[in-house]
């Protein structure tokens, strides 16, 4: 995997009211340079759940005076147009963005196409040869998670080297994951493979 050129790709992350839910914070950075292109709180139309607030620390009071999604959408379109949109859990972030676009009664344009999005988490799992849930390690705020995802991208672009090997967990091995009962909870699919919920 090559490190992207400037303006070729961006990294996007959302924080939400719940799982699934509406955007309460969104950030976008340039994948090559790390330049911040967007970082804003967003006012949802529903309250933030206790579980989501426990994870990202964003309260209803913090977003009460933020702009609603339809007001930040033009900027989101601008900073992502013509670029690959990378996200650590692309299916989740794409679904959140498209849900907010629909609620706002707007057109998704390039944000809808699946081939506009690239999942860094799936790429990282394949790169490691891992079947485990891979924690991103960000601060669970949108900008911090974008920066953590960029570090994953940079690591993959440099190659693994010859000494690092990681195998799938053996039958019965514990698989680390986030605290149960939170928006990070992992849903088990099989003894050796899990479906990942958003970071």
């Amino acid at each position: 995997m090559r490190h992207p050129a400037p303006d070729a790709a961006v990294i996007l992350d959302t924080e939400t009211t719940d799982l699934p839910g509406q955007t309460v914070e969104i950030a976008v950075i340039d994948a090559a340079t790390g330049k911040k292109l967007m970082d804003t709180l967003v006012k949802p139309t529903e309250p933030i759940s206790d579980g989501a607030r426990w994870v990202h620390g964003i309260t209803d009071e913090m977003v009460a005076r933020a702009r609603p999604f339809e007001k930040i959408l033009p900027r989101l379109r601008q900073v992502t147009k013509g670029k690959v949109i990378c996200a650590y859990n692309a299916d989740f972030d794409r679904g959140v963005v498209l849900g907010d676009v629909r609620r706002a009664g707007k057109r998704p344009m390039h944000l809808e196409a699946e081939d506009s999005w690239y999942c860094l988490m799936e790429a990282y799992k394949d790169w490691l040869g891992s079947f485990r849930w891979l924690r991103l390690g960000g601060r669970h705020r949108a900008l911090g998670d974008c920066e953590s995802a960029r570090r994953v991208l940079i690591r993959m672009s440099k190659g693994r080297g010859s000494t690092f090997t990681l195998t799938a967990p053996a039958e019965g091995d514990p698989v680390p994951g986030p605290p149960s009962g939170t928006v990070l909870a992992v849903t088990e699919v099989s003894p050796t493979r899990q479906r990942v919920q958003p970071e």
Side-chain angles (χ1 to χ4, degrees):
M1 174 179 287
R2 297 179 183 176
H3 191 61
D7 296 323
V10 296
I11 299 174
L12 175 149
D13 187 77
T14 60
E15 302 299 336
T16 60
T17 55
D18 208 341
L19 182 63
Q22 300 179 25
T23 303
V24 295
E25 187 175 56
I26 188 166
V28 182
I29 65 174
D30 184 270
T33 65
K35 179 182 177 182
K36 182 174 69 175
L37 305 174
M38 184 176 190
D39 179 25
T40 184
L41 290 170
V42 181
K43 183 178 182 180
T45 62
E46 65 183 17
I48 299 169
S49 71
D50 291 341
R53 187 172 59 252
W54 182 88
V55 171
H56 52 55
I58 301 170
T59 66
D60 292 326
E61 291 74 21
M62 290 169 65
V63 297
R65 296 187 179 181
R67 292 175 297 167
F69 187 83
E70 58 266 26
K71 297 296 184 182
I72 63 97
L73 180 57
R75 177 63 179 167
L76 178 60
R77 286 177 176 150
Q78 180 185 14
V79 300
T80 57
K81 185 176 180 181
K83 301 174 185 178
V84 177
I85 306 169
C86 302
Y88 195 72
N89 188 341
D91 284 345
F92 175 79
D93 287 302
R94 177 176 176 268
V96 168
V97 168
L98 293 181
D100 284 332
V101 169
R102 284 192 296 271
R103 277 185 289 274
K106 304 295 183 180
R107 295 172 54 204
M109 301 172 69
H110 64 275
L111 296 169
E112 185 168 27
E114 286 189 29
D115 60 5
S116 292
W117 294 77
Y118 182 79
C119 187
L120 289 172
M121 180 181 64
E122 289 300 322
Y124 193 35
K125 286 173 65 180
D126 291 344
W127 185 79
L128 290 174
S130 173
F131 293 93
R132 293 175 183 260
W133 183 86
L134 299 176
R135 186 184 297 274
L136 178 58
R139 301 190 305 267
H140 300 304
R141 292 295 298 264
L143 183 60
D145 284 352
C146 282
E147 292 166 346
S148 294
R150 181 172 177 263
R151 287 192 288 273
V152 168
L153 178 60
I154 291 170
R155 182 182 179 196
M156 289 191 289
S157 73
K158 291 180 177 178
R160 278 187 292 183
S162 59
T163 61
F164 182 83
T165 57
L166 180 67
T167 58
E171 185 79 22
D173 276 0
V175 178
S180 61
T182 73
V183 295
L184 294 176
V186 176
T187 302
E188 186 169 300
V189 174
S190 73
T192 58
R193 186 169 180 86
Q194 296 183 321
R195 182 170 65 249
V196 181
Q197 301 294 359
E199 179 72 31

